[in-house]
């Protein structure tokens, strides 16, 4: 009975798990090897339950985000068909904006999907990270200026790393776009690049507002927004920082969020430096 009892409970639990029910747990009342096995089973069940929940949320959030630009396009096209609206410049600009939002969202989903399956391809070459950051910053400067946000660069000398220049440029673009979306004007965004030991360290700081302490750790979660209505209204999908995390980790680096000495958010990226 001492041996068969827990074995039968494990058998019943395995059948329950195989049916797709991950909520059941086995009573833990032993400290021997069978007790350890029961503990491992309960841990596995909890992990599978959390994974299934995350997958349902992923599908639900994806459907919701896709629905918004599609609904806008559908309404505008039907208005054109019914003669309510005319295909003038204003209408076409609105339709193009909705299409571009949908295109960005699909591309972000594709990037995250490849990263999740460990198939995020990258064309690694020796690149000057300072120049990549400078190009992204100068591209974003005019848009930030229209919002009353000054952009300061401290890029120093050339720092060469092995990376996919296009993907790392996308990371910096996303960070600057995120900073512009959540920084009140007049404000400031600071981009700093330096070498620390054998790492290239890139930091992006901005002025207030700053995210609450409870939200900082969740900033890289898919579809998470500190202020959903504000971000969605400006075209944010809630995937920008998730994409950054996927690309940086595919390059063997790390990305972290914290509070900036400027009063807003600080994002820090650490990438292995080319030693050749």
């Amino acid at each position: 009975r001492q041996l068969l009892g827990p074995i039968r409970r494990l058998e019943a639990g395995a059948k329950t798990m195989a049916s797709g029910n991950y909520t059941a747990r086995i009573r833990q009342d032993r400290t021997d090897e069978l007790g350890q096995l029961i503990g491992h089973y309960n841990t596995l069940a909890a992990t599978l339950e959390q994974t299934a929940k995350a997958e349902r949320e992923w599908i639900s959030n994806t459907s919701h985000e896709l629905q918004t630009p599609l609904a806008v396009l559908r309404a505008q096209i039907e208005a054109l068909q019914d003669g309510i609206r005319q295909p003038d410049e204003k209408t076409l600009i609105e339709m193009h904006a909705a299409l571009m939002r949908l295109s960005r969202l699909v591309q972000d989903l594709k990037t995250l999907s490849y990263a999740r399956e460990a198939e995020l391809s990258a064309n690694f070459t020796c690149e000057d990270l300072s120049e990549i950051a400078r190009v992204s910053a100068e591209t974003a400067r005019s848009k930030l200026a229209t919002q009353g946000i000054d952009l300061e660069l401290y890029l120093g000398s050339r720092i060469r790393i092995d990376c996919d220049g296009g993907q790392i440029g996308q990371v910096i673009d996303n960070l600057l776009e995120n900073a512009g979306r959540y920084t009140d004007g007049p404000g400031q965004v600071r981009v700093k690049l330096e070498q620390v030991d054998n790492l290239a360290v890139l930091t992006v700081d901005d002025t207030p507002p700053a995210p609450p302490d409870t939200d900082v750790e969740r900033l890289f979660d898919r579809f998470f927004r500190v202020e959903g209505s504000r971000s969605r209204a400006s075209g944010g999908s809630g995937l920008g920082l998730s994409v950054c995390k996927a690309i940086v980790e595919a390059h063997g680096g790390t990305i972290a969020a914290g509070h900036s000495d400027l009063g807003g958010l600080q994002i820090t990226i650490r990438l292995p430096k080319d030693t050749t």
Side-chain angles (χ1 to χ4, degrees), residues 32-223:
D32 58 4
E33 287 80 358
L34 281 173
Q36 294 176 6
L37 184 57
I38 290 173
H40 293 324
Y41 169 90
N42 288 336
T43 300
L44 175 61
T47 301
L48 289 174
E49 182 182 10
Q50 181 61 34
T51 300
K53 179 182 177 182
E55 184 176 359
R56 289 193 299 270
E57 291 178 350
W58 165 252
I59 294 173
S60 175
N61 290 332
T62 301
S63 300
H64 178 74
E65 294 296 336
L66 288 171
Q67 183 179 8
T68 302
L70 286 174
V72 171
L73 282 173
R74 177 181 177 180
Q76 291 172 331
I77 291 172
E78 290 178 349
L80 290 173
Q81 291 175 328
D82 295 339
I84 299 173
R85 300 191 66 173
Q86 298 300 317
D88 52 22
E89 183 179 1
K90 181 176 182 296
T91 301
L92 294 176
I93 289 175
E94 292 176 356
M95 294 177 65
H96 183 263
L99 181 61
M100 291 304 297
R101 177 181 174 184
L102 185 61
S103 178
R104 287 193 301 269
L105 177 58
V106 171
Q107 183 59 46
D108 287 346
L109 289 170
K110 181 179 178 181
T111 299
L112 291 174
S113 176
Y114 284 164
R116 187 178 183 184
E117 302 298 331
E119 295 177 357
L120 182 60
S121 60
N123 181 23
F124 281 74
T125 56
C126 187
E127 301 278 357
D128 180 8
L129 185 55
S130 301
E131 184 60 23
I132 295 175
R134 192 182 311 279
V135 170
S136 293
E138 293 304 329
T139 301
R141 186 183 295 278
S142 60
K143 182 178 179 180
L144 291 173
T146 61
Q147 301 172 234
I149 300 174
D150 294 327
L151 178 59
E152 296 187 1
L153 303 180
Y154 300 92
L155 302 180
S157 59
R158 298 171 62 184
I159 298 181
R160 305 193 69 85
I161 64 171
D162 285 326
C163 69
D164 185 312
Q167 291 185 2
I168 295 300
Q170 181 184 356
V171 169
I172 301 173
D173 291 342
N174 285 356
L175 294 182
L176 292 172
E177 182 179 350
N178 187 76
R181 183 175 295 124
Y182 287 105
T183 301
D184 291 338
Q188 177 186 349
V189 173
R190 181 179 66 203
V191 180
K192 182 178 180 181
L193 177 64
E194 58 186 339
Q195 179 179 339
V196 179
D197 297 328
N198 200 37
L199 295 173
V201 180
L202 178 75
T203 57
V204 178
D205 293 85
D206 56 50
T207 47
D213 293 339
T214 54
D215 290 343
V216 170
E217 295 299 323
R218 299 189 58 198
L219 292 178
F220 300 103
D221 292 351
R222 294 169 301 195
F223 295 115

